[in-house]
Amino acid sequence: MTIAHEEAVIDAAAVDAIFAEARTANSFAGEVTDEQARAIYELTKFGPTAFNSQPLRVTYVRSDEARAKLVDHLSRGNQAKTASAPLVALLSYDTDWQGQWDKFLPEYGAPKAMYDDNADLAAATGNNNAHLQAGYFILAVRSLGFAAGPMTGADFAAIDAEFFPNGDQKSFLVVNIGQPGPDAWGAAKPKFSYDDVVRTV
């Protein structure tokens, strides 16, 4: 047991499944149903974002045709694992996320103008908060008992041309999802300690 296990309000098994024992898988098995795929997002959506903005968009890649197109744009070392994963999620952000302001923050619309007037700020905010949501997405996958294999080794410009040709979304992460397959993990990699990264001022 660690101090994290002792202080957590969830039980030790949950701490291990979501954090302490969870690792990025490199091979996958089993099945992920449509209901389970939906449940992943239903948990993801509760994580906090700036102004409740929720710019993350999730494209579940299920068909053989779409999977082949995606695999073609991945780095060589990522292709086989994505080709064989039970479910693959392509994560992107809505390039006009602020256009949904009346849906996600209808009672406080004043800040929208600064994003409408500054395309770079809008893009950075959408990208940053979608990445934040991607972290929640991975934890949601783990909380449902699956392994997640998030990957950035891809030609995302080519993926965008293939999947989002209208420019309405910008992809940034591919996540393989399923039960761990054979030899899913190599040796555990070291993590920085509390003293390495934390200071109090």
Side-chain angles (χ1 to χ4, degrees):
M1 294 284 286
T2 68
I3 189 172
H5 291 84
E6 293 167 358
E7 295 293 330
V9 298
I10 55 178
D11 65 31
V15 172
D16 286 341
I18 300 171
F19 296 103
E21 298 296 330
R23 296 167 59 193
T24 296
N26 292 306
S27 70
F28 297 86
E31 178 187 8
V32 183
T33 67
D34 289 341
E35 291 77 14
Q36 290 166 328
R38 184 183 184 94
I40 292 168
Y41 176 71
E42 291 296 336
L43 291 173
T44 299
K45 72 181 183 181
F46 292 113
T49 55
F51 295 114
N52 196 38
S53 52
Q54 303 163 70
L56 180 70
R57 299 294 177 264
V58 180
T59 302
Y60 283 126
V61 183
R62 283 208 184 268
S63 72
D64 291 341
E65 179 183 6
R67 184 76 64 98
K69 290 178 179 178
L70 178 61
V71 167
D72 281 346
H73 300 306
L74 301 181
S75 63
R76 189 177 302 276
N78 290 336
Q79 290 179 340
K81 64 184 81 171
T82 299
S84 62
L87 181 62
V88 179
L90 176 58
L91 303 190
S92 58
Y93 74 90
D94 181 353
T95 57
D96 185 37
W97 62 270
Q98 74 271 23
Q100 302 289 318
W101 202 283
D102 288 343
K103 293 183 179 179
F104 63 72
L105 202 65
E107 72 278 9
Y108 183 50
K112 181 178 182 294
M114 69 179 174
Y115 295 108
D116 289 338
D117 294 340
N118 189 330
D120 289 341
L121 177 63
T125 301
N127 179 67
N128 290 346
N129 283 274
H131 276 76
L132 184 61
Q133 288 186 281
Y136 306 142
F137 184 91
I138 292 166
L139 297 184
V141 168
R142 292 173 172 180
S143 73
L144 293 176
F146 295 111
M151 304 179 304
T152 57
D155 183 345
F156 287 107
I159 290 172
D160 290 344
E162 192 79 65
F163 288 86
F164 314 118
N166 295 329
D168 57 335
Q169 296 180 49
K170 295 289 185 185
S171 60
F172 62 89
L173 191 67
V174 175
V175 185
N176 296 325
I177 303 168
Q179 297 298 331
D183 300 317
W185 298 285
K189 298 177 179 65
K191 301 295 185 183
F192 289 121
S193 73
Y194 179 92
D195 291 334
D196 288 329
V197 302
V198 178
R199 67 180 184 135
T200 300
V201 295

